[in-house]
Amino acid sequence: MTTQTVPPAQKASSLDSSTLDSSTLLQARVPAQSAVHGATQDTASAPNAPAARTGSPLQAESPVPVKPQALRLTRRGRLVFIGVPLMLAAAAALTVLGFFTAPAMASNGGPEVTQTVQVSVAAGDSLWGLAHEFAPDRDPRDVMDDIMELNNLTDPRLAVGAQLYIPIER
């Protein structure tokens, strides 16, 4: 088989033309074979170049397998890849642990009921005097706060004849 060698500049110009014949296309894709050595003319000048494949000139050269590089994580990448899932797992574990170890709160049947006495305010009565009269063993300031809360009072001044609920036990 006799082939012609086409200079690289001529190869490019022949590939750009709109009329390509099969011999020009073959010469552009496959280097010419030397009849003596079985090596291509392009690789004969390079002493350390690998030997060319022999076989049909229409066969395409197989791609050289590329060894993939190992994945390298940066410090931030390791934190995201390992740290965040660990923190999420720890939060989930603590939530489950807290759910199963929380003490059960049993109710005693209803809300706490404060025992009260209804009193009509007389002239000269004050919250301090009523608190000291009905709960002498407690601090009068705490009893005054309880009286104001029970009766929805915003001002400690009392109107004569008003009906007040006063706690007797707490």
Side-chain angles (χ1 to χ4, degrees):
M1 171 174 138
T2 305
T3 58
Q4 297 175 347
T5 304
V6 179
Q10 210 174 13
K11 281 184 188 178
S13 65
S14 67
L15 288 176
D16 290 339
S17 67
S18 62
T19 58
L20 294 175
D21 61 343
S22 63
S23 64
T24 307
L25 185 59
L26 184 60
Q27 289 173 2
R29 291 186 67 206
V30 179
Q33 296 283 328
S34 170
V36 177
H37 298 303
T40 62
Q41 290 177 357
D42 293 343
T43 60
S45 62
N48 294 334
R53 286 182 45 165
T54 59
S56 171
L58 295 177
Q59 272 185 333
E61 294 183 28
S62 65
V64 178
V66 178
K67 181 180 176 186
Q69 289 185 338
L71 180 65
R72 294 180 62 201
L73 290 176
T74 62
R75 186 179 214 168
R76 186 183 309 168
R78 283 190 298 270
L79 175 69
V80 170
F81 191 66
I82 296 168
V84 171
L86 281 177
M87 286 190 280
L88 290 174
L94 288 174
T95 302
V96 169
L97 182 69
F99 179 74
F100 287 116
T101 60
M105 301 297 286
S107 67
N108 59 1
E112 182 180 325
V113 178
T114 303
Q115 294 182 358
T116 61
V117 174
Q118 187 173 8
V119 176
S120 180
V121 178
D125 282 344
S126 66
L127 283 179
W128 184 272
L130 292 173
H132 190 63
E133 180 182 341
F134 287 97
D137 54 334
R138 291 182 52 202
D139 185 13
R141 290 174 289 215
D142 293 336
V143 178
M144 285 176 53
D145 289 338
D146 290 344
I147 293 171
M148 290 182 71
E149 183 182 343
L150 279 171
N151 296 287
N152 296 323
L153 298 175
T154 57
D155 188 24
R157 292 179 281 173
L158 300 175
V160 176
Q163 298 291 317
L164 294 179
Y165 293 102
I166 299 177
I168 55 173
E169 245 181 61
R170 191 143 216 220

